Amino acid sequence: MSTDTSPATRITREQLAARVAQDIPEGSYVNLGIGAPTLVADYLPGDQEIILHTENGMLGMGPSPERGQIDPDLINAGKQPVTALPGAAYFHHADSFGMMRGGHLDVCVLGAFQVSQGGDLANWSTGAPGAIPAVGGAMDLAIGAKNVYVMTDLLTKTGESKLVEACTYPLTGVGCVTRVYTDHAVFDITPEGFAVREAFGDNTLELLAELTGLELTDAAAPGTREGE
Amino acid sequence: MSTDTSPATRITREQLAARVAQDIPEGSYVNLGIGAPTLVADYLPGDQEIILHTENGMLGMGPSPERGQIDPDLINAGKQPVTALPGAAYFHHADSFGMMRGGHLDVCVLGAFQVSQGGDLANWSTGAPGAIPAVGGAMDLAIGAKNVYVMTDLLTKTGESKLVEACTYPLTGVGCVTRVYTDHAVFDITPEGFAVREAFGDNTLELLAELTGLELTDAAAPGTREGE
Amino acid sequence: MIDKTVGSVEEAVAGIRDGATIMIGGFGRAGQPVELIDALIAQGASDLTIINNNAGNGDVGLAALLAKKRVRKILCSFPRQHDSWVFDGLYRAGEIELELVPQGNLAERIRAAGAGIGAFFSPTGVGTQLAEGKEIRVIDGRLYALEYPIKADVALVSAYRADRWGNLVYRETARNFGPIMASAATTTIVQVDEIVPLGSLDPESVVTPGIFVDRVVAVGHRSWLDDGSFVGGVDIEGRPLADASTGSATGNRSATGEGTDQ
Amino acid sequence: MIDKTVGSVEEAVAGIRDGATIMIGGFGRAGQPVELIDALIAQGASDLTIINNNAGNGDVGLAALLAKKRVRKILCSFPRQHDSWVFDGLYRAGEIELELVPQGNLAERIRAAGAGIGAFFSPTGVGTQLAEGKEIRVIDGRLYALEYPIKADVALVSAYRADRWGNLVYRETARNFGPIMASAATTTIVQVDEIVPLGSLDPESVVTPGIFVDRVVAVGHRSWLDDGSFVGGVDIEGRPLADASTGSATGNRSATGEGTDQ
């Protein structure tokens, strides 16, 4: 956030995490990707049961352990120490990724370099020459849930839109993203492209269209898309 | 055994089971098919550990339970009550058949209607019109072990050879049988067809060739096949 | 609070529609969800496609469902058994369609549906009648046939214990098709002996995680268990022995009230 | 008597040949068979192809094997980590070959090898660089790429407890690749904390049946367990905290004797 290139309201990463958390109903099975999406866990309502999946092999993941209670055998996909809630279950990698690939997760929240208006996701490689490629579970996660939510800043540090007509970075998945939560607004992916579901603060559809350089529709407006 | 069509020595089903058991080394993982092959278990040496697999989901299958100790949850593939030995493990059907298909079993013993000199097996259907087809795990078992042993009478009740040039009954598996234990002799399947590995009593290669109507070789004779 | 438990088998099978495809767990009678099948019979859904390893035994459970003419088609590996007379009669009369699948292919195709696999090459059945018409391919010198996933609208599964999140453990070889069917159906309905408090199942030993389970109903301990301990005293069909306390067996004795359902 | 236990890690890795393909379990350091990898380094086999989720962390374990230039090629999903400097250097110098596989395809391809599947259609990676050159097919309106099994000569696995038949249980998320790698290798070598008498493992809870295991060696309890009970007092790398009894953490403190291996 050092170079503020946008005149518009921007919510903080924590506010954004809270906003994503709001859309996850009780009883959901959820995978939170490495990085910013992990923050979402802190904003899930404490009085509701939402079951977290970590693709290295657990359902029912709990919060970080107390100091001195770190168990190196009990980690999340980011290799951070976690805990197991009552009702947890462990399983091996083939079962865990089968669970994702088979469409059993309700929500997956991921970071992104770019999201295209067709729902393509680029989040694993900048394609920079000489970079060491590493994909991990990114491509599995991208296709691995009924709802694939992206959580990201709308603009790069140099002011370029991460929402694009077509991704220029190497793809992680094709047509897989269903919704994008950004610091400016929430966008649905619709057959007509990005639809603004909620604009934060003084953001407007017009301002967002200007920032992204894209034609946007209003998700709330009748006629722009089929019902929720 | 009511119609004795052969003048040659025939060993009993129990003797045959004992003969098969002799060839199963300690430490083997073994699946015994439904019917006569099940008898082999009674002749495995009591002082050796041979681990029995039952494809409905267990390794370490033990003998039949005492009366009054029948547990309907603990059955073999023939749906007979069995017991579990110390060291047993349960698993679901996909894991169990993966274990077979993946070639992890050392020996599988099956019954047969016919075995061809190329190692084709027919044991699931007589192809009789109007019969209700049922295959169960027969086709999985046929391809599901490093060594697929068939245990059968050499001749049908009407005196026809079950060892044939080509099966006329519907196939269970192609080129899958490695050895055939019959009441007259033991045969290996070799690139040259059936090779007599052991002839019981007064059976000879010539007599067996006559009974089967096939050209047979001597498995013990040098030059007829590659080493054991 | 997540609570997948329901109070009755009627509630458990509510909403199953005519024309539904239903997986039913069990290998023979081990793991067969008898109470759920009875509830399905009472519920009345018809024109069903059933996926099970067998095609019913005796006159109870799946056989009773068939006898009621509720089943249009059955997909199984081994319909013909000594006591499959209900299916046999319907099949011979042309009143039921049969798709025969080798048992391991059946299991793997169900697993594939649960794991999001589009299709897979299996060596089982290649060169036999049951692979006729399938796409054949040589991979690494071996022949394989292309097999497609089998999924269902509903799975009826019998497990041993569950918690309110739907985590399941099974008992012995009654596990069989339960875990894979639970993963391959849109709605998975499970009967268990008992529902235990959340946290009582060891997370290392949960066989079916609750993510695969939609409804759980407790039907009480099976007759050969007493508070979870094996007490024996039944025959292989689960019917009480004449004199269970001394362990004498009269395998052919029919149990009280377990007659036909017709 | 079947006894798959061996007395030392040296004996466990004996006979691994130059040019072998070796699966190594673990996700990061959880479930990484550190003692077996050290023994493999001492054993000296070279020109290896390694299959692991990562490409080594810090200077120990797999990273140390790489540093010794014993590895020709690595097949993994996520080589680049904050502490993967050994791999990074070799890769940039063109001294190691990398085959990058999405993590779920890696797992499923390993499972396919163990389960005798010839190939399978996976939706993961379709339309990306990592599916370039693969056979693509539309099934039920969705795009899939054909993926082939990954098998190995040897699997090195870390589990928690074993019996002499080689039955295994794991601990928490350290299970990860262990069960599938054990099924996909010609020779599966396992290190465990302890070997327990036959019959002590609950047959309902065995995760890897002994049929997949060839050799087992006990290496003693991991430092955060005392007789199988969790006592904590380590950092995420398993190194003792400065003052474990009070639970204070000094995550960056390096452990005694855990320097580089070069």
Side-chain angles (χ1 to χ4, degrees), chain A residues 28 35 38 43 55 67 77-78 102 110 115 122 129 132 135 142 145 147 159 165 173 175 193 197 206:
Chain A
S28 298
T38 304
Y43 298 93
E55 64 266 31
R67 293 190 151 223
L110 297 173
V115 179
I132 292 172
V135 66
N147 297 285
E165 213 176 298
R197 184 183 178 79
E206 292 68 31

Side-chain angles (χ1 to χ4, degrees), chain C residues 51-75:
Chain C
I51 297 152
N52 182 260
N53 190 62
N54 304 105
N57 304 78
D59 294 296
V60 297
L62 177 53
L65 184 71
L66 297 182
K68 295 269 190 198
K69 310 267 179 89
R70 302 279 177 73
V71 181
R72 186 180 68 72
K73 177 180 174 179
I74 191 157
L75 204 155

Side-chain angles (χ1 to χ4, degrees), chain C residues 72-154:
Chain C
R72 186 180 68 72
K73 177 180 174 179
I74 191 157
L75 204 155
C76 73
S77 86
F78 208 81
R80 185 190 65 231
Q81 298 187 272
H82 72 280
D83 56 354
S84 60
W85 50 75
V86 174
F87 171 81
D88 299 358
L90 290 167
Y91 182 77
R92 293 218 158 86
E95 291 180 3
I96 193 164
E97 188 183 339
L98 169 67
E99 183 175 339
L100 195 70
V101 182
Q103 200 170 332
N105 283 352
L106 180 63
E108 188 69 12
R109 290 173 65 185
I110 294 169
R111 183 211 174 256
I117 300 300
F120 62 92
F121 284 103
S122 169
T124 303
V126 172
T128 76
Q129 284 177 2
L130 298 189
E132 277 173 20
K134 292 183 193 280
E135 177 178 337
I136 303 294
R137 185 177 296 203
V138 180
I139 299 170
D140 244 350
R142 191 173 191 189
L143 286 162
Y144 294 85
L146 189 63
E147 299 286 347
Y148 290 91
I150 299 171
K151 60 179 195 285
D153 299 308
V154 174

